[in-house]
Amino acid sequence: MALLLLLACPDDSSGATFPAADLVRFDGAALAEGVYDPREGDVVVQAATADGHDWALALRDGEVIAGVPEAGELRRYRLDGTDVSEGEVLGSAGLSGRYGAAVSVNGAVVVIGAPATDGGPDAAQAGAVQVLGDETVEAVAYAGDSAQGRLGGVVAACADIDGDGVAEVAAAALWEADLAGRVYVGSADGSAELAVVEGVRPNERFGAAIECAYDRFSDGGSDLLVGAPFGVSADGTTLGGYVAAFDAAAVAAGSPQFTLGSRTGDVDGFGSALASCRLRSTGLRDLVVGAPLANGGAGAAYVYFGGTGLSAASFPAVTLPGEGTDARFGAHLGCGDLDGDGLDELFVGAPGLDSAAGNHDVGALYVYRGLGTSSGTFTTTAAHHVFTADRAFLRTGERFVVGDLDADGKAEVVLLVRQRAPSGE
């Protein structure tokens, strides 16, 4: 996946705010081991001040798909060699409440969240979700009906979960049920009724992350994994967080097959981010869980090797620890094959990392090579690539997206980097 989501905070040295953003691309084929300034890649898009910097990004077939909630637009930037076309507005279907705050893509299907859309006089900010297909599929919209529920704050375009031959979409309403959170699952073409899965206690934030590319049984199906970063952990004593796993039957029943929980006994934010990556040469997808509040806010990311062995009793095969107070390592995750060896690299964001010089929230994005045939050992000092720059409040690693834009077999990474307003505005 990617991007950087930042608030308009002043720079420590200048006091200037950063209301605009650049989309910056780094080509995997050109990356050598080392540290990169996230501002010094190829600028894909320079946004106007009115667009803000609170964007959501996805990649598809040589295109950057951008949700721009300040403008209420979904834009497509087509890559043509090294050039990128002007943004084409795809549509908003009249959903004006932060349309584009969340975006997910699976093939021809694009899912867009508009979590501040009103559902009527008694349902302010109930939220809504739009689903766009190819030219032959009419757009579908799902509307929330719970005031302040904010459906569409997190969305996922999924493969076929229930075996009916139609892709599914999933969307979270994080504020429903006293912030326990709910996730609604429906068909991409609107042909089936929505199924609902939800958190069990207030304030769990069930749906903070949704992953539906993981196949636990390697049967070609798709499982649904949902993070609840403030849910009760596996020991039953702390709000360490958990990940709930669903197959099609469990989605229909509204109850997970099992939950995978934090085991540290601390408030970890376990489940704040999820990724499904091919890190080993087994061909199986491995599950990565972000816990940005672990270790006193330094954060952590946990790798669970793929296959049928994943269960409530599983322990991580690899633990990646964050570094630095409040770095929030694991707040965002992604994967993609940068070097073309057939294995994914793992991307872990640490947007709260402070610099050695004392600048706050400079952030960092760490990239780890695939594990090959062995389990290997990961530490933050073993990252093959690191994207960071010593400027306060850049928050590099907050969000990013990874994919093969130029069809050369090697992925690119796209970051949204907050910038000052362009000259003349």
Side-chain angles (χ1 to χ4, degrees):
M1 296 178 174
L3 160 73
L4 192 67
L5 176 64
L6 300 167
L7 299 176
C9 301
D11 182 283
D12 277 354
S13 60
S14 69
T17 57
F18 295 81
D22 286 349
L23 300 188
V24 181
R25 177 185 60 154
F26 289 85
D27 190 344
L31 289 176
E33 184 173 5
V35 178
Y36 292 84
D37 187 322
R39 300 167 296 180
E40 295 182 355
D42 298 324
V43 176
V44 175
V45 177
Q46 185 177 46
T49 302
D51 293 332
H53 46 70
D54 187 10
W55 291 26
L57 296 184
L59 301 182
R60 179 184 69 174
D61 296 333
E63 298 174 337
V64 179
I65 305 294
V68 187
E70 288 296 316
E73 292 181 351
L74 186 73
R75 300 176 186 167
R76 177 172 64 186
Y77 298 93
R78 180 73 185 175
L79 188 69
D80 181 12
T82 58
D83 298 323
V84 174
S85 65
E86 293 294 325
E88 175 190 355
V89 178
L90 298 184
S92 66
L95 305 179
S96 58
R98 289 189 57 76
Y99 178 83
V103 176
S104 181
V105 172
N106 180 26
V109 174
V110 183
V111 185
I112 310 102
T117 296
D118 293 337
D122 298 321
Q125 297 194 36
V129 173
Q130 183 191 37
V131 185
L132 300 177
D134 58 27
E135 292 79 1
T136 65
V137 178
E138 190 171 333
V140 173
Y142 291 109
D145 57 10
S146 177
Q148 304 299 326
R150 304 188 184 183
L151 176 69
V154 179
V155 299
C158 304
D160 183 12
I161 294 176
D162 57 12
D164 66 353
V166 179
E168 264 70 51
V169 299
L174 295 174
W175 288 46
E176 288 190 6
D178 292 329
L179 277 72
R182 293 188 175 110
V183 172
Y184 295 83
V185 184
S187 59
D189 64 1
S191 61
E193 292 186 7
L194 289 173
V196 183
V197 293
E198 62 183 46
V200 295
R201 297 175 179 85
N203 302 308
E204 286 192 347
R205 309 296 173 87
F206 183 88
I210 302 172
E211 171 59 48
C212 52
Y214 186 74
D215 179 11
R216 187 162 62 99
F217 295 102
S218 302
D219 58 2
S222 179
D223 298 302
L224 178 70
L225 304 177
V226 180
F230 297 103
V232 174
S233 57
D235 61 11
T237 62
T238 60
L239 301 179
Y242 66 84
V243 176
F246 300 83
D247 63 6
V251 169
S255 180
Q257 295 170 289
F258 65 90
T259 58
L260 180 68
S262 167
R263 297 182 178 275
T264 68
D266 297 319
V267 178
D268 288 346
F270 183 93
S272 293
L274 300 170
S276 176
C277 311
R278 289 189 173 91
L279 301 174
R280 302 171 299 146
S281 57
T282 61
L284 300 173
R285 286 186 177 270
D286 301 310
L287 174 64
V288 188
V289 181
L293 302 181
N295 304 315
Y302 302 104
V303 181
Y304 297 84
F305 288 160
T308 57
L310 186 67
S311 70
S314 295
F315 283 84
V318 178
T319 297
L320 303 177
E323 56 183 0
T325 303
D326 296 325
R328 293 192 291 122
F329 180 88
H332 192 61
L333 303 169
C335 51
D337 184 5
L338 286 180
D339 53 15
D341 67 353
L343 298 177
D344 286 336
E345 275 64 58
L346 173 62
F347 294 70
V348 184
L353 182 71
D354 295 338
S355 73
N359 284 325
H360 295 297
D361 290 1
V362 301
L365 173 58
Y366 300 89
V367 186
Y368 303 91
R369 277 185 162 173
L371 293 171
T373 57
S374 62
S375 62
T377 301
F378 280 151
T379 66
T380 50
T381 57
H384 198 69
H385 313 296
V386 180
F387 298 89
T388 190
D390 192 2
R391 191 180 76 184
F393 303 113
L394 274 183
R395 296 191 187 127
T396 302
E398 185 78 64
R399 289 191 186 180
F400 49 88
V401 64
V402 186
D404 187 0
L405 281 168
D406 54 10
D408 67 349
K410 297 181 180 180
E412 287 80 49
V413 56
V414 177
L415 303 95
L416 189 151
V417 179
R418 182 176 52 175
Q419 298 289 357
R420 292 181 179 87
S423 60
E425 294 197 36

